[in-house]
Amino acid sequence: MAVELITVAVDDADLRLDRWFKRRYPGLGHGKLEKLLRTGQVRVDGKRMKAGDRLEPGQVVRVPPLGDTSEESRPRPEKKRAPRFTPEDEAMIRDCVIHRDKDVIVLNKPPGLATQGGTNTFLHVDALLDALKFDSEERPRLVHRLDKDTSGVLLLGRTANAAAALAKAFKSREARKVYWALVMGVPDPRAGTIKAPIAKMEYAGSEKMEVNVEEGQSAITDFRTVDNAGRRVAWVHFEPRTGRTHQLRVHAAYLGTPIVGDGKYGGAEAHLHGEGISRKLHLHARAIILPHPAGGTLRIIAPLPEHMARSFEFFDFDESEERDPFARPAG
């Protein structure tokens, strides 16, 4: 095995180095990791680190060959499947490309495709990155994530430097992300800013994010209602200022208007019955604007997934009503 240089993703911000390794290499024992750190085989941006040191987006972790422990140290779900993916899967992920240049690839990720692997998740974007090399010898790198059931704009850096620049743009909040959602009911007020801290809570062995003023981390979301179908359903523009797990889903439910199809945070009331509306999550990463690693500005807009396009048509919502998705929500 060769040395790996892995760029820290935005969603791994402030994660302890030992926990980062636990996520990626669950079979690597703590004692083995400590030895790799002591001998300088594991480094971050070329510097020696301790197990408890915190990571920042855009940093590059040097992972040495893991020797005899390499098999047990790979993420467990990856060991169970062979082959990793099919030619049809390769074609599918290439069909998701909506922008490509020498530094950046942008995907319009379909709903239902995970960004990275996990328990019983064998097919995901990370596993398919070799199919996105195109004319490069390097494998592109993820710089942020989308939930499995959320569709839309997903950025990849084609080089380590490009990935680091993109990740730093996310960390510094230079990147603006716009999401479109259909929600149950109509937000009141129709536009504004949600400031509601979010914490991860455990219930009977399962995890769920929720608003928690005492224990939660700061979470801020701008929102604006673009259109509505009576009092039943509204089309809402969300722009997160922070990047907490499931932030938009939690904040939408906190407003009393859960996202259509979000049974996890909206329960049975998040589904429209007898309407022919898909039960899939109606949340789409519509657009992103941020500095391009080579200079200038990268501005990307992703078409709606099929199930949301059908719902827009059903409720007579016209995408052209929001001609500029980067117009700041009022509130």
Side-chain angles (χ1 to χ4, degrees):
M1 292 183 64
V3 170
E4 290 186 276
L5 298 176
I6 303 174
T7 302
V8 178
V10 172
D11 288 332
D12 289 332
D14 206 36
L15 197 66
R16 286 169 51 113
L17 182 60
D18 54 359
R19 293 184 181 275
W20 183 88
F21 266 91
K22 187 67 175 176
R23 281 186 181 181
R24 299 188 68 94
Y25 306 96
L28 180 65
H30 186 75
K32 174 68 173 178
L33 175 59
E34 287 285 3
K35 182 177 180 180
L36 294 173
L37 290 167
R38 284 197 307 272
T39 56
Q41 295 182 67
V42 169
R43 292 175 180 256
V44 177
D45 286 345
K47 300 177 182 178
R48 289 176 179 258
M49 301 288 280
K50 297 180 180 179
D53 288 339
R54 302 280 178 174
L55 294 171
E56 296 183 4
Q59 289 183 318
V60 177
V61 182
R62 180 190 189 275
V63 179
L66 297 174
D68 294 337
T69 66
S70 60
E71 286 299 318
E72 68 183 39
S73 299
R74 291 178 185 146
R76 292 185 181 108
E78 295 292 313
K79 295 193 298 181
K80 295 180 181 179
R81 60 184 174 88
R84 294 184 66 188
F85 48 83
T86 67
E88 291 75 19
D89 295 327
E90 289 183 311
M92 176 275 294
I93 199 66
R94 284 195 288 264
D95 284 344
C96 293
V97 175
I98 56 176
H99 173 86
R100 186 179 98 201
D101 60 43
K102 67 182 182 65
D103 296 298
V104 182
I105 290 174
V106 184
L107 305 180
N108 185 8
K109 188 189 80 65
L113 179 65
T115 304
Q116 293 179 302
T119 304
N120 297 322
T121 300
F122 306 138
L123 181 66
H124 45 86
V125 175
D126 195 31
L128 295 166
L129 292 180
D130 283 331
L132 297 174
K133 287 183 177 179
F134 296 107
D135 55 348
S136 173
E137 295 183 0
E138 292 189 60
R139 190 174 193 258
R141 298 158 172 83
L142 291 164
V143 295
H144 67 123
R145 290 186 291 179
L146 290 177
D147 290 345
K148 179 179 180 180
D149 295 322
T150 302
S151 59
V153 177
L154 184 68
L155 270 64
L156 310 174
R158 300 193 72 185
T159 66
N161 287 340
L166 292 169
K168 287 179 180 177
F170 277 94
K171 181 189 176 186
S172 66
R173 306 303 173 195
E174 290 181 278
R176 289 184 59 199
K177 297 178 289 181
V178 172
Y179 290 76
W180 281 4
L182 294 188
V183 303
M184 301 294 296
V186 181
D188 183 16
R190 292 178 64 88
T193 299
I194 307 163
K195 296 180 179 180
I198 295 175
K200 180 185 293 185
M201 308 301 289
E202 294 188 9
Y203 300 96
S206 64
E207 295 180 343
K208 188 175 180 180
M209 309 303 292
E210 65 178 40
V211 172
N212 188 311
V213 176
E214 294 183 355
E215 300 180 23
Q217 293 182 296
S218 173
I220 303 172
T221 303
D222 294 326
F223 72 96
R224 172 166 50 87
T225 304
V226 182
D227 199 358
N228 57 281
R231 302 300 302 173
R232 295 167 56 227
V233 173
W235 165 18
V236 179
H237 160 135
F238 287 108
E239 186 173 339
R241 294 193 202 170
T242 53
R244 308 304 175 202
T245 301
H246 294 176
Q247 176 173 319
L248 300 184
R249 297 167 65 181
V250 174
H251 276 178
Y254 179 72
L255 282 178
T257 54
I259 295 173
V260 173
D262 192 2
K264 184 179 183 74
Y265 293 103
E269 295 181 0
H271 297 290
L272 287 165
H273 301 286
E275 301 281 6
I277 301 299
S278 173
R279 293 175 65 86
K280 291 181 180 180
L281 184 70
H282 284 61
L283 178 62
H284 179 64
R286 173 65 170 179
I288 193 165
I289 184 169
L290 76 168
H292 192 287
T297 299
L298 181 66
R299 177 187 175 112
I300 300 292
I301 297 176
L304 289 171
E306 183 179 352
H307 75 283
M308 285 187 67
R310 289 198 306 267
S311 296
F312 266 58
E313 183 178 2
F314 182 88
F315 290 110
D316 199 25
F317 293 150
D318 183 357
E319 293 183 50
S320 67
E321 288 186 24
E322 186 167 66
R323 293 179 177 82
D324 181 9
F326 301 106
R328 288 286 186 184

